[in-house]
Amino acid sequence: MDARAKLFGHSIHQMLIPLPIGLFTTATLLDVVGLVVRAPELPSVSFWNLVMGSVGALLATVFGAIDLSVVPLGTRASRIGLIHASVNMVAVTF
């Protein structure tokens, strides 16, 4: 399937997804390091990484939904797309 939402010929959804992944991973690492180092600023940086990661994930969701809207219903691609969207929304919500 070809992406519907594009920027300079590239899928916007695929360009956005590394941002929340990186921010969530960094937040986790900062929490672990913060337990060992006891640096007072790390929890704050970790919190803002989670906030920005959530915003980035929601933004990626919008463009993913645009791409998913052109996938024919009842196809394997449609089922996988809906599962992908559902699992990621649950993961970001909790």
Side-chain angles (χ1 to χ4, degrees), residues 6-24:
K6 292 183 178 184
L7 181 65
F8 303 118
H10 300 283
S11 169
I12 296 174
H13 175 71
Q14 291 178 356
M15 285 191 275
L16 290 175
I17 56 174
L19 181 64
I21 291 171
L23 288 167
F24 292 149

Side-chain angles (χ1 to χ4, degrees), residues 1-91:
M1 286 281 147
D2 197 29
R4 186 174 192 186
K6 292 183 178 184
L7 181 65
F8 303 118
H10 300 283
S11 169
I12 296 174
H13 175 71
Q14 291 178 356
M15 285 191 275
L16 290 175
I17 56 174
L19 181 64
I21 291 171
L23 288 167
F24 292 149
T25 302
T26 302
T28 303
L29 293 173
L30 288 173
D31 285 343
V32 171
V33 170
L35 291 173
V36 176
V37 176
R38 303 279 186 210
E41 65 278 357
L42 290 182
S44 178
V45 175
S46 177
F47 170 78
W48 287 109
N49 275 334
L50 291 173
V51 169
M52 294 309 296
S54 297
V55 169
L58 292 174
L59 187 60
T61 300
V62 170
F63 289 101
I66 292 169
D67 289 346
L68 186 60
S69 70
V70 297
V71 177
L73 291 176
T75 63
R76 182 173 184 267
S78 169
R79 285 190 303 276
I80 290 173
L82 290 172
I83 291 169
H84 169 79
S86 301
V87 168
N88 282 310
M89 286 306 296
V90 168

